[in-house]
């Protein structure tokens, strides 16, 4: 399980507690912890979860440094979203967020202190809910060695571009002299919100300190076009896997709109995503053979049942004016192909070329799909359970961009049992802990709010 609200659990009732047991035997690297009930993640219930290697890491370094990036708004998320749900366009927010670096104002963060000649592992992690962050240290090269928990062969870049929930590790080799200090640059931006001077993008700077009081060296800046940026088709995992051959393919297109209750919704399937009245995992455990029928989960969860051990290809299209970032819970997937989607020319947007990995596809659990672009990803359905494909930009997920995968529910029922503690968490809150999406038997979905179906 991964704690997704009303997907794998009902949330911890007020005054109660619950112990999550995480097996770290087969996973190391950089992850995050997020509060998923009522989008508490956006209000600060978030943090890093780092699992260190028991033995020698894939890349050698002398010290480890951590930098987190957050967009922070003083107003609570849910009241703001009630207003946001009623609009289709993305205007500049009245209360534009502040950029936080390591939890404080991005211009007041403590210096990155380097010792000449040392090599550092710099963990760069976004805890953002909506905005992207770029990061660079002029005069220094960065070498990516990890993305979303997967170690990579070193890949040299000039600047990082980090979307919400994404995590990277880079090697930073300090210069051989402490004659000068340097300045790092961070930019917080969102391409689906109107640009405004100083605000979007919002730029921050901090000190890279080799020696206290040393003069700051002025390094000429490269243009964005001259810089080398992260590229999922160029990253190569240390643990290489051949390209999986797909047994089945599912195509989803973001950009549909639906209207209900006077509110505008988004989505990427037939209906705008909303959780059902019973967590989908509980339905998968309790509905017997009917758990193999996607209809019993309710139309608004956009359920798709995946057969055990089949290789699934997801063909994700974004023929819209907004970048999207997708997170697949429960799996690291192979990134197979990027290419153009929709009529970019009509909107004066770039037509993306088809891009594929050279041989060994990168694996990770997030992927950015730019405007008028598609991506194909593949994974083997070898982790029975219920897993979300969710939008990493919380404002988009809130408006309904999400899909539910019911993975091998027959195998799940044979091999596992739903802990009684999880059931009690629901029952204490008046939520049913069994039955279909409405908490009923069979196909009776009486009581489930109507789904919001999407147009083009």
């Amino acid at each position: 399980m991964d704690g997704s609200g009303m997907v794998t659990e009902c949330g911890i009732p007020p005054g109660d507690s619950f112990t999550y047991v995480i097996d770290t035997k087969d996973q190391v690297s950089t992850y995050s912890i997020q509060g998923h009930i009522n989008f508490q993640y956006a209000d600060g219930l978030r943090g890093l979860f780092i699992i260190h290697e028991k033995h020698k890491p894939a890349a050698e370094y002398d010290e480890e440094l951590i930098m987190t990036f957050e967009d922070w708004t003083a107003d609570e998320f849910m009241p703001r979203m009630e207003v946001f749900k009623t609009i289709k366009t993305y205007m500049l927010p009245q209360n534009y967020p502040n950029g936080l670096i390591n939890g404080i104002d991005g211009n007041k963060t403590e210096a990155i202190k380097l010792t000449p000649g040392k090599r550092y592992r710099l963990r760069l992690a976004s805890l953002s809910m909506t905005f992207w962050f770029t990061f660079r240290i002029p005069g220094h090269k960065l070498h990516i060695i990890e993305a979303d928990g997967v170690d990579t062969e070193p890949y040299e870049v000039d600047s990082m571009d980090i979307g919400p929930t994404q995590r990277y590790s880079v090697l930073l080799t300090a210069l051989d002299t402490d004659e000068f200090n340097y300045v790092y640059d961070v930019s917080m931006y969102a391409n689906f919100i109107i640009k405004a001077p100083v605000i979007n993008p919002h730029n921050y700077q901090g000190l890279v300190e080799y020696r206290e009081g040393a003069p700051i060296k002025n390094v000429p800046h490269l243009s964005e076009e001259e810089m080398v940026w992260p590229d999922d088709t160029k990253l190569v995992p240390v643990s290489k896997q051949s390209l999986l051959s797909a047994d089945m393919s599912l195509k989803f297109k973001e950009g549909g709109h639906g209207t209900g209750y006077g509110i505008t919704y988004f989505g990427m399937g037939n209906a705008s995503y909303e959780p059902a009245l019973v967590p989908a995992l509980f339905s998968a455990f309790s509905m017997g053979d009917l758990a193999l029928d996607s209809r019993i989960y309710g139309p608004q969860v956009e359920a798709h049942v995946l057969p055990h051990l089949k290789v699934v290809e997801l063909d994700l299209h974004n023929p819209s004016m907004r970048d999207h970032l997708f997170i697949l819970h429960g799996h690291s997937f192979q990134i197979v192909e990027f290419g153009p989607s929709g009529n970019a020319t009509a909107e004066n947007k770039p037509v993306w070329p088809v891009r594929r990995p050279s041989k060994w596809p990168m694996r990770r659990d997030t992927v950015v799909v730019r405007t008028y672009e598609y991506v194909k990803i593949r994974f083997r359905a070898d982790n029975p359970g219920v897993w979300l494909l969710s939008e990493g930009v919380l404002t988009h997920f809130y408006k309904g961009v999400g899909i539910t995968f019911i993975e091998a529910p027959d195998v799940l029922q044979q091999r596992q049992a739903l802990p009684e503690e999880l059931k009690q968490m629901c029952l204490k809150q008046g939520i049913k802990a069994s039955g279909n999406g409405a908490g009923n038997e069979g196909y009776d979905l009486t009581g489930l709010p109507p789904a919001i179906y999407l147009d083009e």
Side-chain angles (χ1 to χ4, degrees):
M1 65 172 295
D2 68 348
S4 298
M6 293 307 294
V7 178
T8 60
E9 63 169 83
C10 295
I12 304 170
D16 273 21
S17 64
F18 181 76
T19 301
Y20 292 90
V21 179
I22 300 171
D23 187 354
T24 63
K25 180 178 63 176
D26 297 321
Q27 53 186 346
V28 297
S29 224
T30 315
Y31 304 92
S32 62
I33 298 174
Q34 309 167 2
H36 267 259
I37 299 294
N38 290 329
F39 297 90
Q40 294 159 335
Y41 168 69
D43 294 326
L45 189 55
R46 56 197 185 194
L48 285 189
F49 182 67
I50 297 173
I51 306 172
H52 289 279
E53 295 87 348
K54 205 170 188 179
H55 305 292
K56 185 178 179 181
E60 294 185 3
Y61 52 91
D62 300 304
E63 291 185 29
E64 179 177 307
L65 302 171
I66 297 172
M67 293 189 75
T68 60
F69 305 95
E70 304 171 68
D71 49 5
W72 178 257
T73 305
D75 299 335
E76 289 188 4
F77 182 81
M78 292 297 282
R80 285 189 290 116
M81 288 302 100
E82 288 305 312
V83 175
F84 176 73
K85 249 189 176 181
T86 64
I87 63 173
K88 280 190 177 182
T89 57
Y90 286 81
M91 302 303 292
L92 197 66
Q94 289 183 341
N95 297 321
Y96 195 83
N98 294 309
L100 305 184
I101 300 176
N102 287 344
I104 64 175
D105 184 303
N107 286 320
K108 298 179 181 178
T109 306
E110 290 186 5
I112 299 175
K113 296 186 178 183
L114 302 182
T115 300
K118 277 194 172 183
R119 176 181 280 188
Y120 297 83
R121 178 179 187 157
L122 185 53
R123 295 186 192 263
L124 306 173
S126 172
L127 300 176
S128 169
M129 67 173 183
T130 300
F131 289 78
W132 269 252
F133 286 83
T134 64
F135 171 81
R136 65 181 67 96
I137 307 177
H140 298 69
K141 294 288 187 180
L142 305 173
H143 292 82
I144 298 173
I145 58 167
E146 176 237 336
D148 296 345
V150 177
D151 289 334
T152 73
E153 294 183 353
Y155 180 70
E156 184 178 284
V157 296
D158 298 300
S159 183
M160 298 296 297
D161 189 23
I162 310 170
T165 75
Q166 291 193 307
R167 298 92 59 205
Y168 287 94
S169 288
V170 298
L171 286 182
L172 169 62
T173 301
L175 304 179
D176 291 331
T177 174
D178 65 358
E179 182 180 1
F180 296 103
N181 292 331
Y182 294 78
V183 172
Y184 68 77
D185 297 314
V186 171
S187 180
M188 181 179 75
Y189 75 96
N191 80 335
F192 48 84
I193 294 175
I194 188 171
K195 286 188 176 181
V198 183
I199 297 178
N200 185 30
H202 196 146
N203 298 317
Y204 300 89
Q205 291 187 320
L207 183 65
V208 179
E209 185 179 87
Y210 279 87
R211 175 170 54 85
E212 186 176 356
I216 293 175
K217 185 168 185 177
N218 185 20
V219 179
H221 280 60
L222 298 173
S223 69
E224 291 192 1
E225 292 73 24
E226 293 174 308
M227 292 182 191
V228 177
W229 297 84
D231 184 341
D232 285 331
T233 64
K234 301 289 180 62
L235 295 180
V236 177
V238 171
S239 177
K240 298 175 178 62
Q241 293 181 3
S242 298
L243 178 66
L244 295 171
S245 179
D247 297 310
M248 58 186 292
S249 181
L250 298 171
K251 181 177 179 179
F252 300 105
K253 182 178 72 171
E254 198 288 325
H257 295 85
T259 304
Y261 314 106
I263 294 172
T264 301
Y265 294 81
F266 296 158
M268 56 189 303
N270 295 317
S272 183
Y273 174 82
E274 287 280 353
L277 299 180
V278 172
L281 179 66
F282 291 37
S283 296
F285 268 113
S286 64
M287 290 298 289
D289 292 342
L290 285 182
L292 291 163
D293 191 332
S294 62
R295 292 175 294 176
I296 65 102
Y297 299 94
Q300 55 270 83
V301 305
E302 275 291 316
H304 295 263
V305 177
L306 307 180
H308 191 222
L309 298 181
K310 295 294 184 183
V311 174
V312 182
E313 178 179 271
L314 303 183
D315 186 6
L316 307 176
H317 284 252
N318 179 25
S320 76
M321 300 285 285
R322 303 176 295 272
D323 285 356
H324 287 280
L325 186 152
F326 295 106
I327 308 164
L328 180 60
H329 298 232
H331 289 277
S332 289
F333 48 76
Q334 293 184 344
I335 297 178
V336 176
E337 181 179 287
F338 292 94
S341 179
N343 191 359
T345 304
E347 299 293 343
N348 294 316
K349 293 291 183 179
V351 178
W352 301 105
V354 174
R355 297 181 294 126
R356 302 183 183 93
S358 57
K359 183 176 181 181
W360 307 107
M362 183 57 191
R363 301 187 308 278
R364 57 188 309 175
D365 58 27
T366 70
V367 65
V368 175
V369 190
R370 299 295 185 183
T371 60
Y372 296 99
E373 185 179 52
Y374 73 79
V375 65
K376 293 182 180 180
I377 62 176
R378 293 178 189 170
F379 63 96
R380 188 178 299 279
D382 56 4
N383 190 13
V386 175
W387 311 111
L388 275 181
L389 175 70
S390 63
E391 167 68 76
V393 178
L394 284 195
T395 47
H396 297 167
F397 182 45
Y398 183 85
K399 294 195 80 166
V401 182
I403 298 289
T404 307
F405 291 120
I406 315 296
E407 186 171 332
D410 48 346
V411 178
L412 178 72
Q413 294 172 12
Q414 295 168 9
R415 295 183 179 178
Q416 301 182 44
L418 194 63
E420 185 62 29
E421 286 179 275
L422 279 182
K423 296 178 185 177
Q424 290 301 318
M425 283 166 55
C426 295
L427 296 174
K428 288 179 180 180
Q429 299 175 77
I431 302 171
K432 293 182 179 180
S434 62
N436 61 26
N440 303 326
E441 295 301 318
Y443 295 96
D444 177 13
L445 295 175
T446 303
L448 197 63
I452 304 299
Y453 290 99
L454 303 173
D455 54 24
E456 292 296 324

